[in-house]
Amino acid sequence: MKHFHFQQIQKSFSNEIGGQVSVIDNLTFSTAEGEITSIIGPSGCGKTTFLRIIAGFEESYSGTVTIEDGNTKATALPVGTVGYIPQEPSLFPWYTVEENVAFSLRLRNVSKVSLQQRVEELLRMVGLEAYRTYYPKELSGGMKQKVTICRALAVPPPFGLLLLDEPFSALDSQTRNALQQDLLSIHTSQHLTLIFVTHNIDEAVFISDQVVVLSQLPARVKNIVTIPLPHPRDRTSPEFNAIRKDLLNLGEFMH
Amino acid sequence: MYYAIGLGILLGLWERVSLLQEWIAGVKIIPDPISTMLALGPLVSKGMYGVTLLEHVFTSFGRVLLGFLYAILLAVPLGLFLGLNKRGRLILEPVVDFIRPIPPIAWVPIAIILFGISIISHAFIIFIGAFFPLLQNVADGVRHVKPVYRDVAQSLGANRSQIIWRVVLPAIGPNILTGAKVSIGIGWMCVIAAEMIGVSDAGVGYFINDMKNIGNYTFMMAGMVALAIIGLAILFFFYALEHYAIKWVEGIK
Ligand SMILES: Nc1ncnc2c1ncn2[C@@H]1O[C@H](COP(=O)(O)OP(=O)(O)O)[C@@H](O)[C@H]1O
Ligand SMILES: [Mg+2]
């Protein structure tokens, strides 16, 4: 069983006048293989910066990212070893659905047959096998996000870790709920560990095993709330709402 | 439909101007549209001094194409380099800023000294005219590729050259096409001007000027109409190319 530890992560950016702005201050938490962790916090508090650190994009930060697997330990995850879905829309508009999903497979010269098979399998999983030849501009917001997830998983991330940065925030609430369901089933079928940044407390309670609540800039862990409810969860049940209320109180600054 | 109405209005105006000019001067100098169109037939089939109008068109077009191809071959890689490399951009910017304002036609003497009167000297002038708009468009395009595309490509395992081939180049497809459209227009302008100021003894520019000199204004006008037709053909070519090559762009169906 693997564990991912993020310990004392600190990061600051230099501002225009040559000073340093601390964005993340001593951020520490852990997650185990197969878990879903949500990160919530006010906007501009450093959530995206934190995901970019785990994904390997930021070079100057302090603290450690460790994967512990039994007795072996590895530190830092180089770019390309973690699945990453950025906050902005990121499907390549010049490629079709199929070409987008196959992007990482093509880079690795996977044979045509197994490439086709993998793309087919992933698109089937999200119900988009009929849209292989469509361009992103021809898809709805929800479909685009599904394809983006498929693309991130085409070559399974080596440690099974997938980072998602507010992936559903631009969707209407019905589509959003449907995609949360889809994400849960993808999480199970693809054996993933998820770190999921969101603004939406309902979403965090619906999908996660633990919710990391961050403070305002610079981000520190304000609280970690574990959610022991079994899946499928009922958004209207008293237990669900009790946790929601706790989080709302913790994150009262958020809205 | 509206296109036909517009063309009709243009031909009508031309007819009026021609009549008015004849009425004022007593002799017809500006030919009317009908005789101009009628002149196109024999010009295409028999030509003048044994050279048909089509041959002049091909001569000019060949020159444009050659200069344009060199411009693309050089401007795209250089534009990529400038767009990707900040230091390179800072060094080359003054060079570009210094050369660009010199109108291509001002290069005619140098072209003749270097290459004599040949297809190469024409292509050289066209190259000068076509190169800078292409370079500008490519470099701007590269700088405006959204960083998120490079990030995801990298997180999906792409190295630097894979990012250039599979992300940056396709992303700037529309910029290359826009640059090419502008460039080929400028290329035409350059070739006609160069032919008119006597860098050659063939081509549509030469033909128009020659017909003016011998006083055959109908044929001169027919040469201009031929230019209009070529311009339209190029426009439609690019239209088709957009639908084929960059059909992924929002707003292109
Ligand atoms: N490359 C950067 N240079 C300077 N400041 C940055 C940079 N990236 C982010 N920031 C700043 O860091 C803070 C946190 O940003 P971000 O991580 O995007 O927040 P969130 O995702 O929580 O909304 C913001 O104040 C932002 O302006
Ligand atoms: Mg963010």
Side-chain angles (χ1 to χ4, degrees), chain B residues 145-198:
Chain B
V145 177
K146 285 200 216 141
V148 71
Y149 295 138
R150 285 185 221 178
D151 286 352
V152 276
Q154 214 188 340
S155 90
L156 290 167
N159 59 32
R160 199 173 154 77
S161 82
Q162 287 168 325
I163 289 177
I164 290 174
W165 283 103
R166 294 165 201 238
V167 176
V168 179
L169 265 178
I172 62 169
N175 304 83
I176 296 181
L177 265 181
T178 307
K181 247 194 278 192
V182 175
S183 292
I184 230 167
I186 293 178
W188 261 112
M189 238 147 65
C190 295
V191 84
I192 300 304
E195 288 166 356
M196 279 188 169
I197 59 177

Side-chain angles (χ1 to χ4, degrees), chain A residues 94-142:
Chain A
W94 50 88
Y95 286 145
T96 59
V97 165
E98 180 171 35
E99 290 164 341
N100 264 287
V101 175
F103 188 84
S104 60
L105 299 162
R106 288 229 177 105
L107 296 175
R108 289 162 177 82
N109 296 318
V110 172
S111 80
K112 208 170 165 166
V113 178
S114 38
L115 181 145
Q116 291 287 343
Q117 250 171 16
R118 181 68 180 152
V119 171
E120 176 81 26
E121 177 190 346
L122 287 159
L123 289 178
R124 218 174 261 291
M125 171 180 85
V126 295
L128 290 179
E129 65 274 23
Y131 293 87
R132 311 175 69 112
T133 60
Y134 283 53
Y135 282 96
K137 69 169 180 180
E138 300 164 310
L139 304 179
S140 71

Side-chain angles (χ1 to χ4, degrees), chain B residues 79-160:
Chain B
L80 269 175
F81 173 75
L82 292 186
L84 292 171
N85 186 313
K86 190 160 176 208
R87 200 169 306 156
R89 185 160 70 238
L90 291 178
I91 292 173
L92 275 173
E93 214 155 55
V95 180
V96 170
D97 284 347
F98 191 78
I99 300 178
R100 187 172 39 189
I102 305 172
I105 293 302
W107 290 81
V108 165
I110 286 195
I112 294 176
I113 292 167
L114 285 179
F115 306 109
I117 292 183
S118 65
I119 182 166
I120 309 287
S121 51
H122 287 84
F124 175 74
I125 292 159
I126 292 150
F127 168 83
I128 298 277
F131 178 75
F132 291 103
L134 266 169
L135 182 73
Q136 185 79 45
N137 272 283
V138 172
D140 282 354
V142 172
R143 257 180 302 163
H144 289 118
V145 177
K146 285 200 216 141
V148 71
Y149 295 138
R150 285 185 221 178
D151 286 352
V152 276
Q154 214 188 340
S155 90
L156 290 167
N159 59 32
R160 199 173 154 77

